[in-house]
Amino acid sequence: MSQSEQAGQGDRASVEALAQPAIQQLRAYDPGHDLIALRRQFDDLIELGANESPYGASQLALAAARSAIEDLHRYPDPLGGDLKRALADAFGLETAQIALGNGSHELLMLLGQVFTGPTAALACARHSFAVYALSAMATGAPIQWADANPREHAMPCGHDLDALLSVIDDRTRLVCLANPNNPTGTWLTREELRDFLARVPGHAIVVVDEAYREYQDEPEAASAVGLMSEFPRLAVTGTFSKAHGLAGLRVGYLLAQPPVIGLIERLRESFNVNSVGMAAAQAAFADRTHLDHVRQENAREREALAQGLRERGLFVFPSRTNFLLVEFGPHCAALEQRLVDCGVVLRPMGGYGLGDCLRITVGTADENRLLLETLDVLMPQVASAS
Ligand SMILES: Cc1ncc(COP(=O)(O)O)c(C=O)c1O
């Protein structure tokens, strides 16, 4: 190690010691592979690792974004009024029941900051979205982990609501769950959610993360938004990053009762959502035709891909999302590395306690075909090499 590296390490340790204990323990969110480097390496990289929409954004959203670019020298609307009104109309809510975020990731982190701390716990399920735990770790909050369904369950590794209820106690202030869930793809019915919410004690806010709501068979009927009037401690998050195809612009939203929104508003950065993102999100939200197209294509391709994977002897978890969790067995890590070497990016699941599985975003028909063809070449090679 060079002298300057040694000095850097010493400095890192002494600076770390100045940080809050919770931050010292925190590990940065793992974004997966370095896609920029991989894109430089492969002209035709197949990116099926981040649950983005392969159908892109609506033409109306793109036009709105281009027009908003003309005003880049202006700060964005700090109130997000137009987008909030559009969301409020669609969900039958007041604008005071909506907060906007730089992606729903930001809102989940803010919820952690508002409601958790060293004596205020967060409850969540194993194999659920990594950001819930991060939001609690950032505040030094205890995390109350609930076991997930066993693999042989109809919703394998999905949320077990009785188990989640059993970890909630007097210290719990925030309960986070996703419907449908990432990374399993499994889902809960609204009746299951209602029954769960009725049993959660009043001192805990329940967040239902609906990042993949639009991919449900009947999104409105499945959504927890319709339960908000019945359960005042219920909050729901949504995003424009998935079915609306705006992941690069970072726009998410939180729906909750005004007191919850008021707390988030105190903490959020005043211009947290950019002007291009808000304009594009509003236009995307109004474009039902594009959304319906995305939903239909995704449902068809998801079924075709699942079928192709099953024909290769693989176990495919049930999914109402734009991705599939697939069990590849003991050679999973080696296979994943070989896929990357061939320019196919999937999402390893070791960090989610599912090291024998990979998560595959449903791509276009061409992408899915290329994936299956590459698997046909690599799976026997990896199996015989070990
Ligand atoms: C379940 C779930 N929630 C929230 C997010 C965050 O999405 P964004 O910050 O892009 O809105 C994701 C992203 O993958 C997700 O899978």
Side-chain angles (χ1 to χ4, degrees):
M1 193 187 293
S2 73
Q3 260 187 341
S4 67
E5 278 170 344
Q6 270 177 9
Q9 287 230 334
D11 195 40
R12 180 189 297 260
S14 60
V15 172
E16 281 248 344
L18 301 177
Q20 289 298 305
I23 307 298
Q24 290 182 34
Q25 298 302 316
L26 199 57
R27 293 289 161 267
Y29 176 76
D30 173 12
H33 293 286
D34 181 350
L35 289 170
I36 305 303
L38 285 169
R39 281 176 206 154
R40 282 193 197 111
Q41 193 182 337
F42 296 95
D43 288 338
D44 48 1
L45 186 69
I46 300 180
E47 298 185 39
L48 303 175
N51 299 343
E52 297 148 338
S53 171
Y55 309 105
S58 110
Q59 289 301 320
L60 298 180
L62 292 174
R66 281 190 203 104
S67 153
I69 280 177
E70 299 298 323
D71 285 328
L72 281 191
H73 57 295
R74 301 283 178 209
Y75 280 103
D77 173 7
L79 303 175
D82 286 344
L83 179 55
K84 280 190 190 169
R85 275 186 287 278
L87 291 166
D89 284 352
F91 290 119
L93 300 171
E94 305 292 323
T95 53
Q97 293 172 290
I98 303 175
L100 302 178
N102 193 247
S104 53
H105 186 146
E106 182 190 37
L107 293 161
L108 293 166
M109 293 303 286
L110 289 171
L111 284 161
Q113 258 183 284
V114 170
F115 292 108
T116 72
T119 58
L122 173 137
C124 63
R126 299 216 181 271
H127 321 307
S128 62
F129 188 44
V131 168
Y132 313 146
L134 283 181
S135 79
M137 285 161 76
T139 70
I143 302 172
Q144 300 169 311
W145 289 103
D147 283 338
N149 291 329
R151 288 239 178 151
E152 54 279 10
H153 193 277
M155 290 292 147
C157 301
H159 295 324
D160 172 346
L161 293 178
D162 286 330
L164 192 52
L165 273 172
S166 73
V167 299
I168 295 172
D169 64 17
D170 292 349
R171 296 175 308 163
T172 314
R173 291 291 171 276
L174 202 56
V175 182
C176 291
L177 59 119
N179 191 37
N181 183 43
N182 174 20
T184 57
T186 50
W187 63 93
L188 301 160
T189 65
R190 179 137 80 177
E191 282 323 303
E192 286 171 318
L193 275 175
R194 175 183 273 121
D195 179 56
F196 170 75
L197 290 162
R199 293 189 287 155
V200 174
H203 55 73
I205 303 285
V206 179
V207 181
V208 179
D209 174 348
E210 296 190 349
Y212 301 94
R213 176 198 311 120
E214 292 85 356
Y215 296 109
Q216 293 256 36
D217 291 352
E218 291 178 60
E220 272 169 42
S223 171
V225 177
L227 300 173
M228 282 175 56
S229 53
E230 225 173 299
F231 300 101
R233 299 284 156 86
L234 168 64
V236 179
T237 55
T239 184
F240 286 92
S241 301
K242 306 298 177 187
H244 291 290
L246 296 176
L249 287 177
R250 315 299 304 123
V251 188
Y253 55 90
L254 168 69
L255 312 174
Q257 296 310 331
V260 173
I261 299 298
L263 290 162
I264 297 289
E265 289 292 320
R266 288 185 206 171
L267 204 54
R268 76 166 171 90
E269 190 262 308
S270 28
F271 301 104
N272 61 334
V273 187
N274 72 85
S275 49
V276 178
M278 277 192 284
Q282 198 187 333
F285 199 61
D287 191 346
R288 282 299 313 189
T289 311
H290 182 71
L291 186 62
D292 287 344
H293 169 73
V294 169
R295 283 168 37 77
Q296 279 163 20
E297 292 290 311
N298 177 71
R300 197 189 59 228
E301 290 307 323
R302 182 180 63 207
E303 193 38 53
L305 178 61
Q307 181 64 23
L309 291 161
R310 279 191 217 106
E311 282 165 6
R312 284 155 178 84
L314 298 164
F315 177 71
V316 181
F317 288 60
S319 168
R320 285 198 178 159
T321 64
N322 65 338
F323 60 85
L324 295 169
L325 185 68
V326 183
E327 198 177 287
F328 283 92
H331 310 304
C332 194
L335 177 68
E336 196 271 331
Q337 189 51 56
R338 292 294 310 278
L339 283 161
V340 176
D341 295 342
C342 293
V344 180
V345 182
L346 308 183
R347 191 77 156 104
M349 290 283 105
Y352 281 95
L354 296 163
D356 59 340
C357 298
L358 296 174
R359 195 192 65 198
I360 306 175
T361 305
V362 178
T364 60
D366 275 352
E367 288 172 325
N368 299 336
R369 180 181 46 77
L370 285 166
L371 165 68
L372 292 173
E373 286 172 9
T374 313
L375 286 175
D376 286 339
V377 175
L378 295 184
M379 284 200 306
Q381 287 179 6
V382 171
S384 65
S386 47

